[in-house]
Amino acid sequence: MKKLFTDKMLLIYRIIGVILIFIFLVLDFILVLSTPGADHLNSYGERLSHYYAYFTTQSNYLVFGYFVFYLFHKKFKNTKPDFIIRLMVTVYITMTMLVFWLGLFTQGDIVRGMSVYEWISTVILHTVIPVAMILSFCMTAGDAFYKFSNHHKANYWIICLYPFLYLICVLVRGYIRHLDHKPENTLFPYFFLDFYATNGVVMLATGSVLVFVLCTSFQYFFIWVNNLFYFKRQIKEHHPEKVKEIKTIIDIKKYQKLDHKGKIALILAIVVACFNIIFSGLYYTLRDVWSKVLNYPYNNSIVLAFSIIIIVFSTITIVFSILGFANFYWARIIVGFLSVALICFNWIWIVGPIFDIVIAFICFNNPKYSQADLDLYQMKKKTKVDLEKIKLDE
């Protein structure tokens, strides 16, 4: 059995996989280009535009590009692509898989009347290729321990950038197509992006938040998977002391006291969250008054959608801010992410995004644990830590 999973055999499997994915993507491209499809797109340009507007198409192409890139690195450099590249592609294709099967597939209009090839294509694009990428990530994970506390400083935003730009581009594309009087069912690749539909703004706002949540959740989930494989590998290679060192560092953070800046950030988060809840409630209740004062016709569904999102996120912010005061070190990071999410919605009271940016900046700049934190840990645990191995500035 072990002979089937040697480095040489795994390389052969990847080469075969790349060839099969390439053949499928070419056939899928030719079929899309040669047939009008259910949307009755008559020109080649329209079909290409519609085909490549799907996040499914783009993410599957990214997987193919990643596998080619991996083979190049393995053959000529005897290395693997950087962990962030592996994480990025895995997050995107996992979003493609879960959003389709748990969200889009439940919409009867999508699956009704699908041909045999369309079913095969759907399974390959939304299951086979995503699972292959997830397995590839797991097989290459565990080379190094990746810190949660460092991820949000840069790489988190880099990975979130592509879905954000994709969302902006397809919305602009749909708006332009609407101006050109294109068929309504071809304006947007996904129904929840169609802000021209009934309750479309509500669906768009809700969908945008869910995409943000999924993108964030999958990043930290796969980092956790990588670290789990790292621990198993160290134990297997008889290096349990490395596992113990890392777990000790994580454990010390649980005893880290909240500093002055942290207290200010959490207090500000609670105040802003309370104001958000009150303001959003009044804003919706008095929406007709505001419409007359500002001489601007507000859409009830838009105001309702934004108010609900702000109230829900603000309530969650209050809960995690309280947990932050109770010295749950991870609660401050979650408050930071919630503040980032609220930036997109708090602009209705003008200065809301400014407060959110300040809160997020302070929360994400979490100070390193100090000698006092280490002393408290040693006292609580009744154990001593080797200061040469546990560096306070890490």
Side-chain angles (χ1 to χ4, degrees):
M1 190 68 178
K2 290 183 178 180
K3 293 181 179 179
L4 297 175
F5 296 97
T6 61
D7 289 342
K8 183 177 180 180
M9 291 303 297
L10 290 175
L11 181 62
I12 294 174
Y13 296 152
R14 286 191 172 91
I15 293 174
I16 295 173
V18 166
I19 294 173
L20 291 176
I21 293 174
F22 175 76
I23 293 172
F24 169 76
L25 291 178
V26 170
L27 292 175
D28 196 53
F29 173 82
I30 293 173
L31 187 67
V32 168
L33 199 62
S34 59
T35 57
D39 298 312
H40 304 292
L41 300 171
N42 296 319
S43 70
Y44 292 129
E46 282 284 282
R47 296 170 195 171
L48 284 177
S49 172
H50 194 62
Y51 179 63
Y52 286 109
Y54 282 98
F55 191 82
T56 295
T57 305
Q58 296 182 21
S59 59
N60 275 274
Y61 273 64
L62 281 175
V63 171
F64 172 73
Y66 165 79
F67 281 142
V68 173
F69 186 58
Y70 181 93
L71 291 176
F72 175 83
H73 265 256
K74 193 69 176 176
K75 177 65 177 178
F76 298 103
K77 297 184 179 181
N78 196 29
T79 60
K80 62 186 73 172
D82 187 78
F83 174 75
I84 295 304
I85 296 176
R86 286 179 277 147
L87 177 64
M88 183 185 300
V89 179
T90 306
V91 167
Y92 297 157
I93 200 66
T94 304
M95 289 172 62
T96 295
M97 179 174 66
L98 289 190
V99 168
F100 178 81
W101 291 114
L102 298 181
L104 299 177
F105 187 75
T106 58
Q107 302 296 315
D109 295 339
I110 294 180
V111 298
R112 191 178 297 118
M114 288 176 63
S115 65
V116 175
Y117 173 78
E118 287 173 331
W119 268 108
I120 295 173
S121 175
T122 294
V123 172
I124 292 175
L125 291 173
H126 298 100
T127 304
V128 177
I129 294 178
V131 169
M133 183 63 217
I134 293 171
L135 289 175
S136 175
F137 176 86
C138 292
M139 292 167 63
T140 56
D143 288 342
F145 182 83
Y146 191 83
K147 295 181 181 180
F148 284 91
S149 57
N150 289 338
H151 182 64
H152 64 267
K153 294 180 180 178
N155 294 325
Y156 168 80
W157 308 105
I158 293 173
I159 294 176
C160 285
L161 181 62
Y162 170 59
F164 175 75
L165 293 177
Y166 170 82
L167 182 64
I168 297 299
C169 289
V170 294
L171 291 178
V172 171
R173 174 183 177 273
Y175 174 72
I176 294 174
R177 291 181 66 82
H178 178 75
L179 294 179
D180 288 340
H181 305 289
K182 299 294 183 182
E184 293 295 322
N185 63 331
T186 66
L187 299 182
F188 303 93
Y190 302 107
F191 73 92
F192 60 86
L193 299 178
D194 188 1
F195 52 82
Y196 292 110
T198 304
N199 297 321
V201 175
V202 178
M203 290 191 297
L204 174 60
T206 305
S208 301
V209 172
L210 288 176
V211 167
F212 169 81
V213 171
L214 285 176
C215 189
T216 300
S217 302
F218 287 143
Q219 288 186 56
Y220 286 94
F221 171 75
F222 284 115
I223 291 173
W224 175 80
V225 170
N226 173 78
N227 293 345
L228 185 64
F229 276 98
Y230 173 81
F231 288 146
K232 289 186 175 181
R233 178 172 294 183
Q234 294 303 320
I235 293 172
K236 185 178 180 180
E237 295 176 357
H238 307 291
H239 298 299
E241 69 281 354
K242 290 186 178 180
V243 177
K244 186 177 179 181
E245 290 170 16
I246 293 172
K247 287 186 175 181
T248 300
I249 293 174
I250 297 173
D251 227 14
I252 293 173
K253 280 188 171 289
K254 295 178 181 178
Y255 294 89
Q256 186 177 9
K257 292 183 178 180
L258 192 65
D259 66 337
H260 182 65
K261 291 182 180 179
K263 291 178 181 178
I264 292 176
L266 296 180
I267 292 172
L268 186 60
I270 292 174
V271 171
V272 171
C274 290
F275 186 83
N276 284 341
I277 294 171
I278 296 171
F279 186 85
S280 298
L282 291 174
Y283 193 79
Y284 181 73
T285 304
L286 303 174
R287 59 190 181 280
D288 294 332
V289 176
W290 286 108
S291 180
K292 293 178 181 179
V293 171
L294 300 176
N295 194 26
Y296 186 83
Y298 286 101
N299 185 301
N300 288 343
S301 62
I302 295 177
V303 178
L304 178 62
F306 274 64
S307 298
I308 291 175
I309 291 173
I310 291 172
I311 290 172
V312 170
F313 271 63
S314 297
T315 302
I316 299 173
T317 299
I318 293 173
V319 172
F320 280 101
S321 296
I322 294 172
L323 290 174
F325 278 112
N327 271 345
F328 286 95
Y329 73 99
W330 42 266
R332 191 195 301 191
I333 301 299
I334 295 177
V335 171
F337 282 125
L338 290 168
S339 298
V340 171
L342 282 169
I343 290 174
C344 304
F345 303 96
N346 271 2
W347 53 265
I348 59 175
W349 56 285
I350 303 175
V351 295
I354 298 175
F355 284 111
D356 289 323
I357 291 172
V358 171
I359 293 168
F361 179 79
I362 298 175
C363 287
F364 288 147
N365 283 275
N366 194 25
K368 277 74 176 182
Y369 55 85
S370 64
Q371 182 65 50
D373 298 322
L374 181 60
D375 293 339
L376 179 61
Y377 168 79
Q378 293 182 125
M379 182 184 70
K380 293 285 187 181
K381 290 287 186 177
K382 296 180 180 179
T383 184
K384 290 186 177 181
V385 178
D386 189 345
L387 295 179
E388 294 183 358
K389 293 182 178 179
I390 307 299
K391 298 179 181 179
L392 295 179
D393 59 348
E394 286 190 352

